[in-house]
Amino acid sequence: MDRATLRLTTKRLGKVVLQSADAASAATAAPSFDFRPTGSSGWVSATSVRSASWDGRALSVVANTSNPVYSLLLTLTPAQDRYALTAAVQGTGATQLAAHYDMNASGHWYGHGEASTPNNGPYTDQPWPLDSGTVLDEAFGPAAYEMTEPFWFTSKASGLFIDTTSTMTVSLGEAKDNVAGFAVTDGQPLRQTVFVEETPKQVYADYQEIAGTPQKSDAPDYQYQSTVWNSWAQFYTNVTQAGFLDWARQLHATGIPAHTFSLDDGWMSKYGDFTFNAKFPDPKAMVDEVHAMGYNFGLWVTLWLNNDSQNYQVARANGWLLKSASDPSQPCAVRWWNGNAGIVDLANPAARAWYESQLDGLMSSLGVNGFKFDTRFFDLGCAPYTSDLGMEDYQALGAELADKYDLQGMGIRVHWTGNQSRGFVTREIDKGTGWDSLQAGMHQLLALSTVGHPFVTSDMIGGSLGQAPPTKQVLVRWAQAAALTPLMYSSTAPTGVTDWTTGRQVAYDAETVQLYKAAVERHGDLSDYILAQVRRAVGTGEPIMKPLFWEFPEEQATYTLDDQWLLGDSLLAAPVLEQATSRDVYLPEGRWYDPYTGQTLRGERWVRDYPAPLSVTPMFVRERVAETQQLKDALSGLRQGAERR
């Protein structure tokens, strides 16, 4: 700690692994701490150390500030491999209190979850590592729709957990170059835990001690073995009963392995009413036909009840909606992508029972097998049911609701520290249909996996976001990449799709169908191996999909790889995520078997220009481990296919 400028420096074995920013430094030009005093619109910065004392347990530091009316009290409490750091404003308090770190001092940064960025993240952009781009999220917290966690870690094996259940502003290189800024906005002290370990994997384990580990996998085994089809990108809200069934029949005819057909948005008579509109004249017949083809039937649902729905009026009259924070006599008014609505208050036992009865009715009357929950459970403008509840409690309530129903491999978007233990499949936020979205999707799976959510699935293969359909190459490469992740989630049919931006039909060729089918079959071939990773993740929290530095932390090349990962410990995935027919592949230490050629290659080197025509997804099996032969057997068809070519 520098007394003249109040700069905190964390070292391990004499080397800096984390360092706060320095207002006097040209590299950061930001204070270690600053705050917005209560009743003031300006910021006050910590400047220098006034005093420091050690009581045998904790170090207390009083810092001077740029406004002599205020001082800042820092309390540092060391423990094995970590220390707790609390900052509190002395005086009238603060509406915002921020800590700033020099990102360059720690190497590369990871964690966070889905990242809001100036380049349209998290939809079409997700920096990996985080310092390869910039991040700015001014509503980072438990009420956010984005899957986020207040945990970051670095390539120098330091980590940062911010213990809060309130909204934060998080800036990673956006507000100031090379500066990570974390500001709590609830007037409370800023409580951090700094981890110091030998490897990033160990830092992750430290966070798991706080967040918990999955006690189950919400998805049954069969959902890891093939794909689920969801209607969204194929139809958006233009879906009809006739169109949905024709789509299902065509896909059934292709023989692409699947377990469920799920009807997404576009079926409700009004948003919030669990009745079908006129586009679905016989819902029971639709469900029955899907069952007759051998699949489960799923349905999209939401806790948003639009103001013009009958259920909104029922819920409002009975006090079953979240109340407005500014006027608790009125329902909380929220705006979502389908209009103005209220949110069912899951903390109200009567409201929750009523909502569940709607779902149970669909299951009993129509034979619906499960649901895709697409909703927020709370909003910043709302008040909790009782004063002792917070935003994080509504995440837990949403999880408890969803746990009663089959989520059909599409999972649910429940996040924040502690919800890792629930073991839900985590579904990414919507992606576009271009290469940038495919890349963002894979980066995001790594980010989510390494903040404690091992059961991840990308957004639906091929993307959506109302954009023109994916090209053949994007669609196929997305399916190939998704085949090397824990679960697969499909929508755009490889037989063809409507371009809803023009109204024209887009036809894919027979090769598209064949390659898509091959990707899903490959995922099925790997399912025994994947399920073994699922079993390990339950109780341990070990990611299934992970960056190469997880197992090879000494190899610096692994820290910036954004298009390769390990599936489990023993399968190296290097799919093509751009318009290309070859790619460079980094093989870490050891020996690696190429299932396409049957050759074994030495590692700790680059393989340049590895041939990757559209029928090839580069991957390598780690030799001399327990799973080597299992993986070789599972992928034996790739060599036979290569010989036929």
Side-chain angles (χ1 to χ4, degrees):
M1 179 171 59
D2 298 336
R3 287 180 174 268
T5 58
L6 185 65
R7 190 176 203 188
L8 306 182
T9 300
T10 304
K11 295 182 179 181
R12 183 180 183 277
L13 300 177
K15 295 182 179 179
V16 175
V17 296
L18 186 70
Q19 190 168 51
S20 62
D22 180 3
S25 167
T28 57
S32 293
F33 296 89
D34 59 4
F35 55 92
R36 194 189 299 268
T38 302
S40 172
S41 60
W43 286 85
V44 174
S45 302
T47 55
S48 60
V49 175
R50 181 185 303 173
S51 64
S53 61
W54 169 257
D55 65 4
R57 186 189 66 87
L59 176 67
S60 297
V61 177
V62 177
N64 297 313
T65 73
S66 56
N67 185 332
V69 172
Y70 308 101
S71 60
L72 188 71
L73 173 64
L74 304 179
T75 305
L76 293 86
T77 307
Q80 184 175 3
D81 299 324
R82 71 193 66 183
Y83 62 87
L85 172 60
T86 300
V89 175
Q90 306 296 290
T92 61
T95 56
Q96 287 183 278
L97 174 54
H100 304 280
Y101 290 91
D102 178 355
M103 296 183 74
N104 288 336
S106 306
H108 298 296
W109 283 63
Y110 312 89
H112 187 97
E114 294 176 337
S116 296
T117 76
N119 295 323
N120 200 35
Y123 304 100
T124 61
D125 179 46
Q126 175 81 28
W128 181 274
L130 289 166
D131 52 279
S132 66
T134 60
V135 175
L136 179 62
D137 191 339
E138 296 178 314
F140 187 94
Y145 187 69
E146 289 79 5
M147 286 284 301
T148 55
E149 299 290 334
F151 168 62
W152 297 264
F153 63 97
T154 76
S155 59
K156 291 188 178 180
S158 60
L160 184 67
F161 163 58
I162 298 182
D163 186 5
T164 183
T165 55
S166 299
T167 303
M168 291 196 297
T169 294
V170 175
S171 171
L172 304 174
E174 169 61 17
K176 292 184 182 294
D177 290 344
N178 308 315
V179 174
F182 309 96
V184 293
T185 58
D186 58 0
Q188 298 297 311
L190 176 58
R191 296 182 176 89
Q192 305 170 75
T193 299
V194 175
F195 304 110
V196 183
E197 290 285 5
E198 293 183 27
T199 68
K201 183 177 180 178
Q202 292 171 332
V203 178
Y204 171 80
D206 290 339
Y207 181 58
Q208 284 185 296
E209 293 177 12
I210 298 169
T213 57
Q215 300 305 300
K216 62 177 176 58
S217 166
D218 178 72
D221 288 1
Y222 74 88
Q223 292 175 3
Y224 288 95
Q225 295 168 341
S226 62
T227 194
V228 52
W229 288 100
N230 176 272
S231 65
W232 178 245
Q234 186 74 15
F235 299 103
Y236 295 100
T237 58
N238 300 288
V239 64
T240 65
Q241 179 170 326
F244 180 87
L245 285 174
D246 185 57
W247 170 69
R249 293 177 194 125
Q250 287 186 33
L251 288 167
H252 177 67
T254 67
I256 297 172
H259 56 80
T260 298
F261 278 89
S262 175
L263 173 60
D264 207 281
D265 187 4
W267 66 270
M268 285 182 169
S269 51
K270 299 283 187 182
Y271 287 109
D273 288 338
F274 290 81
T275 52
F276 285 78
N277 58 43
K279 296 184 296 177
F280 296 86
D282 193 347
K284 184 67 167 61
M286 174 178 60
V287 176
D288 288 347
E289 183 169 343
V290 170
H291 286 163
M293 286 188 283
Y295 307 103
N296 286 336
F297 180 88
L299 202 57
W300 174 93
V301 291
T302 176
L303 284 167
W304 282 299
L305 309 182
N306 273 20
N307 297 358
D308 62 351
S309 68
Q310 182 178 346
N311 271 343
Y312 177 86
Q313 302 304 323
V314 172
R316 177 171 183 163
N318 285 280
W320 293 339
L321 299 172
L322 282 165
K323 302 298 190 294
S324 168
S326 59
D327 182 3
S329 69
Q330 298 297 317
C332 181
V334 296
R335 176 79 182 173
W336 65 302
W337 56 84
N338 281 323
N340 297 309
I343 302 176
V344 177
D345 189 344
L346 293 179
N348 181 330
R352 177 169 169 172
W354 170 76
Y355 183 79
E356 289 181 1
S357 73
Q358 311 279 314
L359 305 180
D360 296 340
L362 291 166
M363 297 177 75
S364 61
S365 64
L366 300 179
V368 172
N369 301 105
F371 299 97
K372 175 186 173 182
F373 287 96
D374 195 2
T375 192
R376 270 186 173 179
F377 306 113
F378 194 77
D379 188 88
L380 290 175
C382 301
Y385 186 58
T386 58
S387 60
D388 60 332
L389 294 175
M391 292 184 288
E392 72 284 0
D393 295 304
Y394 277 86
Q395 290 285 345
L397 289 164
E400 290 168 7
L401 167 71
D403 209 24
K404 291 187 174 183
Y405 300 95
D406 181 4
L407 306 182
Q408 304 186 312
M410 292 174 288
I412 192 170
R413 298 176 57 74
V414 170
H415 65 110
W416 213 250
T417 309
N419 279 306
Q420 287 86 343
S421 65
R422 300 180 182 277
F424 285 110
V425 171
T426 298
R427 177 182 77 247
E428 280 182 354
I429 204 165
D430 292 15
K431 297 290 175 294
T433 59
W435 293 108
D436 56 351
S437 291
L438 169 55
Q439 294 157 11
M442 297 305 117
H443 300 169
Q444 215 161 84
L445 292 184
L446 287 169
L448 291 168
S449 295
T450 53
V451 294
H453 302 282
F455 313 122
V456 291
T457 184
S458 79
D459 184 40
M460 51 195 68
I461 293 166
S464 58
L465 276 188
Q467 298 179 358
T471 64
K472 169 185 176 178
Q473 288 74 21
V474 170
L475 184 63
V476 169
R477 293 303 195 186
W478 202 317
Q480 292 171 342
L484 303 180
T485 70
L487 297 108
M488 298 187 76
Y489 175 33
S490 299
S491 184
T492 299
T495 53
V497 64
T498 300
D499 180 348
W500 296 104
T501 67
T502 64
R504 298 174 181 173
Q505 292 298 309
V506 173
Y508 298 111
D509 60 12
E511 184 187 39
T512 308
V513 176
Q514 181 267 321
L515 292 174
Y516 198 114
K517 181 180 179 182
V520 180
E521 289 175 339
R522 185 173 308 136
H523 184 75
D525 293 339
L526 291 168
S527 62
D528 285 347
Y529 172 75
I530 291 171
L531 285 168
Q533 313 313 310
V534 172
R535 309 278 186 264
R536 183 170 70 159
V538 172
T540 70
E542 176 74 17
I544 298 173
M545 180 180 175
K546 56 192 125 182
L548 271 63
F549 64 73
W550 220 248
E551 300 301 323
F552 303 95
E554 299 302 319
E555 299 186 45
Q556 292 305 304
T558 64
Y559 286 94
T560 54
L561 289 173
D562 65 354
D563 58 358
Q564 294 182 218
W565 58 84
L566 292 172
L567 187 65
D569 293 338
S570 306
L571 182 63
L572 188 154
V576 176
L577 305 181
E578 60 184 358
Q579 186 73 47
T581 55
S582 66
R583 60 156 297 162
D584 295 341
V585 178
Y586 183 78
L587 297 179
E589 183 273 333
R591 299 180 69 79
W592 297 86
Y593 172 79
D594 182 345
Y596 286 98
T597 66
Q599 297 178 324
T600 297
L601 307 177
R602 64 175 176 82
E604 207 164 356
R605 70 184 181 99
W606 284 94
V607 177
R608 302 294 182 184
D609 296 319
Y610 183 92
L614 195 57
S615 59
V616 171
T617 310
M619 65 187 83
F620 298 84
V621 175
R622 196 174 184 179
E623 289 275 21
R624 302 173 185 173
V625 296
E627 297 158 321
T628 299
Q629 194 58 51
Q630 178 193 21
L631 284 168
K632 285 183 176 180
D633 291 344
L635 298 172
S636 60
L638 296 181
R639 187 176 182 188
Q640 295 168 7
E643 289 170 349
R644 286 195 295 271
R645 287 195 304 275

